[in-house]
């Protein structure tokens, strides 16, 4: 009897352990919004990584959301076709990899180009798919991993504010924040309680450098070269030098506890912020004006009353060798929004057929600390907005939080090397 009772107890413990272990490895639901095919080919590298690890997630959407450049759904489909050629070799080692035809059905076209000043416009196939996935009944949140601008996410939130409790957002900001400043300001002003990781600089810890070692410039030759169609194509992006600035969003889901942004993970470690700084100028700036990096800057000008519709572009704001639309607000008032992507001293000039605006100039200083000091016009945030750690020891040069990601780069690339070897 004792032996029988002991066996029953052992069986019960085994079943309990198996169930607990199964729960521990429940796949995360993810949807990726990317500007792949635009000006920065790091999205192509990150897409290869995502496809080769697709067995680890419940992948629900691949959205093309190019705020800037020529990104398109077709570029995602092209990457899937390369993956399809290598699929059976990969599947021998990871049987749950997502099949190419299923991936194609998940591809949706989002907004092409930046959102207007108000931050939203018309629904897109991409924004509607975000809503569709977010409204699916599930005890698991939908992780929206944004590798480009926030324009389709902003549109989805505008059209379906009820999805806020159902989603978790990990956004690779920095330069992408600059391109989608209108969408960003709409979100922080109207949805401050959104669960958000705003990674403006930590992601740079995964970008390759010029070191001549296996985990930087030599990674392609030592680990990728000769590895199937995906490996051959990888050489086309930065000559094979691993950049993958968007990949930390996926790494965050792969390692650690995604519900705890303050903890350690391959995708970085973050801290809570209670405000997003904004500074409004009603004049041209000088070098006595300092703003925080990644902060929202609004320039407001007075000019003649014109017949243009409200919030229509009517002047060009040129800064850092790039042009931005400036808008008419009505009643002789004009506005443009901007976000600096790095510490710097920046100069700007206005070009317009409106003579009162044409030729205006200014300059200002961008400080390296984010979010920096609070400003009177700052956006107040809820309890679940997280960003790069401000501890100075975690900087690398001007890049805040860099080391929270960089410390895991070798581990991540060694793990990926195993999958590349499946294709050799």
């Amino acid at each position: 009897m004792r032996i029988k009772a002991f066996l029953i107890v052992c069986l019960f413990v085994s079943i309990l352990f198996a169930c607990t272990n199964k729960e521990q490895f429940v796949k995360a639901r993810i949807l990726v919004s990317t500007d792949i095919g635009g000006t920065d080919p790091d999205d192509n590298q990150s897409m290869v990584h995502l496809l080769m690890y697709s067995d680890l997630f419940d992948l629900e959407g691949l959205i093309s959301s190019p705020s800037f450049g020529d990104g398109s759904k077709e570029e995602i489909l092209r990457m899937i076709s390369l993956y399809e050629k290598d699929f059976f070799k990969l599947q021998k080692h990871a049987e749950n990899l997502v099949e190419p035809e299923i991936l194609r059905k998940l591809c949706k076209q989002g907004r092409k180009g930046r959102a207007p000043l108000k931050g939203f416009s018309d629904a897109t196939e991409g924004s509607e798919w975000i809503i569709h996935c977010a409204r699916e009944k599930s005890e698991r949140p939908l992780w929206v991993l944004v590798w480009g601008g926030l324009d389709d996410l902003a549109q989805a939130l505008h059209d379906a504010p009820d999805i806020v409790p159902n989603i978790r957002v990990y956004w690779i900001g920095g330069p992408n924040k600059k391109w989608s400043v209108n969408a960003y300001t709409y979100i922080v002003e109207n949805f401050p309680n959104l669960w958000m990781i705003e990674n403006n600089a930590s992601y740079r810890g995964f970008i390759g450098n010029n070191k001549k070692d296996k985990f930087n410039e030599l990674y392609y030759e030592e680990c990728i070269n000769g590895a199937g169609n995906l490996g051959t194509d990888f050489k086309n992006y930065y000559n094979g030098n691993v950049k993958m600035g968007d990949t930390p969003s996926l790494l965050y889901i792969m390692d650690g506890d995604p519900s705890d942004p303050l903890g350690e993970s391959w995708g970085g470690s973050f801290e809570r912020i209670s405000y997003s700084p904004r500074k409004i100028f009603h004049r041209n700036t000088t070098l006595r004006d300092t703003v925080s990096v990644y902060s929202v800057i609004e320039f407001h000008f007075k000019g003649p009353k014109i017949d243009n519709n409200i919030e229509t572009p009517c002047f060009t704001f040129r800064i850092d060798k790039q042009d931005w639309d400036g808008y008419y607000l009505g009643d002789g008032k004009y506005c443009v929004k901007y976000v600096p992507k790095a510490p710097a001293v920046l100069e700007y000039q206005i070009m317009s057929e409106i003579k009162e605006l044409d030729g205006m100039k200014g300059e200002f200083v961008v400080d390296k600390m984010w979010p920096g000091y609070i400003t009177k016009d700052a956006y107040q945030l809820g309890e679940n907005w997280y960003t790069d750690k401000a501890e100075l020891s975690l900087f690398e040069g001007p890049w805040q939080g860099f080391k929270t990601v960089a410390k895991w780069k070798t581990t991540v690339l060694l793990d990926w090397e195993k999958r590349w070897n499946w294709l050799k």
Side-chain angles (χ1 to χ4, degrees):
M1 287 293 293
R2 289 182 178 179
I3 294 176
K4 185 176 181 181
F6 175 76
L7 291 175
I8 291 174
V9 170
C10 288
L11 179 61
F12 176 77
V13 171
S14 297
I15 293 172
L16 181 63
F17 177 80
C19 292
T20 303
N21 201 43
K22 184 177 180 181
E23 288 177 3
Q24 186 177 354
F25 292 100
V26 170
K27 293 181 180 181
R29 301 170 59 217
I30 67 170
L31 178 148
V32 174
S33 169
T34 170
D35 55 359
I36 189 170
T39 57
D40 192 345
D42 75 316
D43 286 61
N44 292 81
Q45 292 188 351
S46 292
M47 184 61 66
V48 171
H49 181 271
L50 168 63
L51 295 174
M52 291 177 68
Y53 279 93
S54 62
D55 57 310
L56 302 184
F57 315 98
D58 280 342
L59 184 55
E60 299 191 13
L62 294 168
I63 313 296
S64 168
S65 302
S67 297
F68 178 76
D70 298 322
S72 67
K73 180 175 73 172
E74 285 67 34
E75 183 64 11
I76 304 176
L77 292 170
R78 187 184 71 82
M79 298 303 297
I80 293 172
S81 293
L82 291 169
Y83 167 72
E84 184 173 40
K85 294 177 181 178
D86 291 336
F87 180 70
F88 292 109
K89 280 187 177 181
L90 293 168
Q91 193 185 38
K92 288 179 181 178
H93 303 272
E95 62 180 13
N96 292 323
L97 283 166
V98 183
E99 295 185 5
E101 201 53 42
I102 293 176
L103 290 170
R104 291 188 178 98
K105 293 177 181 178
L106 300 179
C107 294
K108 311 295 177 182
Q109 183 60 57
R111 181 180 175 83
K112 292 187 176 183
R114 297 191 290 271
L117 185 64
K118 62 185 179 181
F120 60 90
S121 182
D122 299 319
T124 67
E125 182 186 35
S127 67
E128 290 180 339
W129 191 250
I130 293 173
I131 295 170
H132 168 79
C133 294
R135 283 178 170 168
E136 286 286 329
K137 291 185 178 180
S138 176
E139 295 182 356
R140 297 171 294 159
L142 176 69
W143 285 89
V144 181
L145 312 182
V146 185
W147 297 358
L150 292 168
D151 307 272
D152 280 298
L153 178 60
Q155 187 68 49
L157 289 168
H158 171 268
D159 296 344
D162 59 284
I163 69 174
V164 169
N166 304 337
I167 64 176
R168 306 287 182 269
V169 181
Y170 187 125
W171 177 41
I172 304 295
N176 292 323
K177 188 173 183 178
K178 176 182 66 173
W179 297 120
S180 62
V181 58
N182 295 333
Y184 176 83
T185 56
Y186 172 73
I187 291 174
V188 291
E189 188 168 5
N190 294 279
F191 301 96
N193 293 315
L194 181 68
W195 199 106
M196 164 78 87
I197 292 177
E198 182 180 333
N199 182 339
N200 286 316
S202 301
Y203 71 90
R204 291 181 180 271
F206 207 83
I207 294 176
N209 55 41
N210 296 324
K211 291 182 180 179
K212 293 283 187 179
D213 62 40
K214 176 177 179 177
F215 302 105
N216 292 286
E217 281 197 357
L218 300 181
Y219 189 78
Y220 180 83
E221 292 302 326
E222 295 192 18
C223 303
I224 301 178
N225 193 20
N229 294 276
L230 290 171
T232 300
D233 185 70
F234 201 90
K235 184 72 171 177
N236 295 323
Y237 317 115
Y238 297 107
N239 198 34
N241 190 9
V242 176
K243 183 178 179 183
M244 301 207 312
D246 298 303
T247 295
S249 64
L250 193 71
L251 299 177
Y252 181 80
I253 307 298
M254 291 173 61
D255 175 72
D257 179 3
S259 67
D260 180 19
L262 310 181
E264 297 282 345
S265 83
W266 287 356
S269 180
F270 305 93
E271 62 188 23
R272 185 179 290 109
I273 55 172
S274 60
Y275 63 92
S276 179
R278 173 178 61 158
K279 206 158 189 179
I280 300 176
F281 294 100
H282 293 275
R283 55 174 173 79
N284 286 305
T285 53
T286 71
L287 291 180
R288 288 177 291 181
D289 295 304
T290 298
V291 300
S292 297
V293 66
Y294 319 122
S295 65
V296 175
I297 311 169
E298 291 187 19
F299 296 90
H300 290 252
F301 307 103
K302 289 184 178 181
K305 295 181 180 180
I306 58 178
D307 293 332
N308 292 37
N309 292 329
I310 302 296
E311 295 193 1
T312 55
C314 61
F315 67 91
T316 298
F317 183 80
R318 179 165 292 174
I319 185 170
D320 202 19
K321 300 179 181 180
Q322 294 172 329
D323 292 343
W324 304 86
D325 285 336
Y327 296 86
Y328 183 56
L329 302 181
D331 197 30
K333 298 176 182 178
Y334 301 80
C335 174
V336 63
K337 296 178 183 178
Y338 183 73
V339 171
K341 69 175 183 178
V345 174
L346 295 177
E347 300 176 352
Y348 65 84
Q349 180 176 354
I350 291 177
M351 293 163 288
S352 176
E353 294 182 358
I354 303 170
K355 64 179 182 179
E356 289 86 351
L357 300 182
D358 190 48
M360 281 187 174
K361 294 181 179 181
E363 53 191 348
F364 57 92
V365 177
V366 183
D367 184 68
K368 76 172 186 177
M369 295 302 297
W370 156 261
Y373 57 90
I374 191 168
T375 58
K376 68 175 183 177
D377 299 307
Y379 297 103
Q380 297 302 311
L381 302 174
E383 297 182 354
N384 292 307
W385 206 287
Y386 306 89
T387 196
D388 315 272
K389 285 191 170 179
E391 184 181 329
L392 291 177
S393 65
L394 299 175
F395 274 70
E396 180 72 22
W399 308 125
Q400 187 170 324
F402 181 101
K403 293 179 182 178
T404 68
V405 171
K407 65 190 291 185
W408 304 108
K409 182 177 179 181
T410 296
T411 301
V412 170
L413 291 181
L414 283 172
D415 190 75
W416 199 19
E417 180 185 13
K418 298 173 185 176
R419 298 206 171 206
W420 282 116
N421 286 335
W422 298 348
L423 293 174
K424 295 182 180 179

